[in-house]
Structure formats: structure tokens, C-alpha cells
Amino acid sequence: MGSPQKPALVLLHGMTSSGRAWEELVPSLSQHYAVHTPTALGHHGGVPVLRSTTLTDVVDAAERQLDEAGLDRPHVVGHSLGGYMALAHAATRPGATTGIVVLNTGSGLKDVAGVMKGVELVKTQPYRVDPDMEDLRRVMAAL
């Protein structure tokens, strides 16, 4: 979305969401940016997964999406899981973005050392994609 003359803005959604989470903001942001709202691996509307998946897989898939879009140093905004994806992208590809903004990503990320520790922790944690939301349903039923 947007025109090639505008700077690129990538909006990364949180866990169990999709790129559509940003749709109410896109018209306003598109006045100033070429807005991209990819959907993460294994999330509704995104590339499905057929095996156990890690957060590293999700981050790698997001980086492939950015590469395929051919964006030159986009601004990247990430909410929750999307914030971790943005931090991991910035940590593994210095200079690849103009800047990043993370929203509600984690209270333990108060300084650069905390950010780096959080990125490394998140990248190594098992991440089970649950497209049918079975785990969430079990938790909600137990409440």
C-alpha cells in the first residue's frame, strides 16, 4: 500500500492476530508512508505451518517477507510478538531499518542489555502455533 515515493512503514502484529489488526490505522498512515502489514507465519491469513515451530522460524519468515517486498530501510513498528520480531530483525540485521518502535512487547526490556537478552531468549524459546486456538480454549474453560 502507499506509493514508492513515500518511506516504507512495516506494522508487525502480535500473537494470535494478523496483519489485519492494523487496518483501521492504514488509511491515516498511508497519507505519509507506504504501509505494509504482513501476517506472521502460522497466523490467520499467513503462511500455514505443518510442524513444530520456533520463534526463530517466525522471525526468519518475517525477514523473508521484508526481503521479498524489496523495502529499503523501512520504519518497523511491532506490537507484542511483532515487537520481538522487530527487535530480532534489528539485532540480526543492523542498519536494515530506519528505526523501530515496539509496543507492549515486554516489561523486562528497559535498556539495551535487556533488549538483547530478551531477543536471545525469545529466539530460543519453543513456539507452538495453535491455529485452532485449542490451548486458549482450554485455558478459558478452566477460568
Side-chain angles (χ1 to χ4, degrees), residues 10 12 38 61-71 74 76 89 93:
V10 177
L12 301 174
E63 288 184 341
R64 280 192 301 279
Q65 286 178 313
L66 293 177
D67 290 344
E68 290 167 4
L71 306 178
V76 179
H89 181 68
R93 294 186 179 189

Side-chain angles (χ1 to χ4, degrees), residues 1 18 24 35 39 54 56 63 67 71 86 88 90 93 102 104 106-107 116-117 119 122 129 139 142:
M1 289 178 233
S18 75
E24 288 185 29
V35 180
T39 295
T54 66
T56 298
E63 288 184 341
D67 290 344
L71 306 178
R93 294 186 179 189
V102 295
N104 295 22
S107 61
M116 296 311 294
K117 183 177 179 184
V119 166
V122 166
V129 175
V139 169

Side-chain angles (χ1 to χ4, degrees), residues 12 20 34-35 61 70 73 76-78 86 91 104 108 112-114 120 131-132 143:
L12 301 174
R20 293 185 62 196
V35 180
R73 293 180 35 88
V76 179
V77 176
N104 295 22
V112 173
E120 289 309 308
D132 297 324
L143 295 177

Side-chain angles (χ1 to χ4, degrees), residues 7 14 30 47 52 55 64-66 82 85 95 103 130 139:
S30 292
V47 176
S52 180
L55 284 172
R64 280 192 301 279
Q65 286 178 313
L66 293 177
M85 292 164 48
L103 307 167
D130 186 16
V139 169

Side-chain angles (χ1 to χ4, degrees), residues 89-113:
H89 181 68
T92 58
R93 294 186 179 189
T97 61
T98 297
I100 63 168
V101 175
V102 295
L103 307 167
N104 295 22
T105 296
S107 61
L109 305 178
K110 294 183 173 137
D111 56 31
V112 173

Side-chain angles (χ1 to χ4, degrees), residues 12-28:
L12 301 174
H13 63 82
M15 191 176 294
T16 74
S17 190
S18 75
R20 293 185 62 196
W22 304 100
E23 64 187 16
E24 288 185 29
L25 292 173
V26 170
S28 177

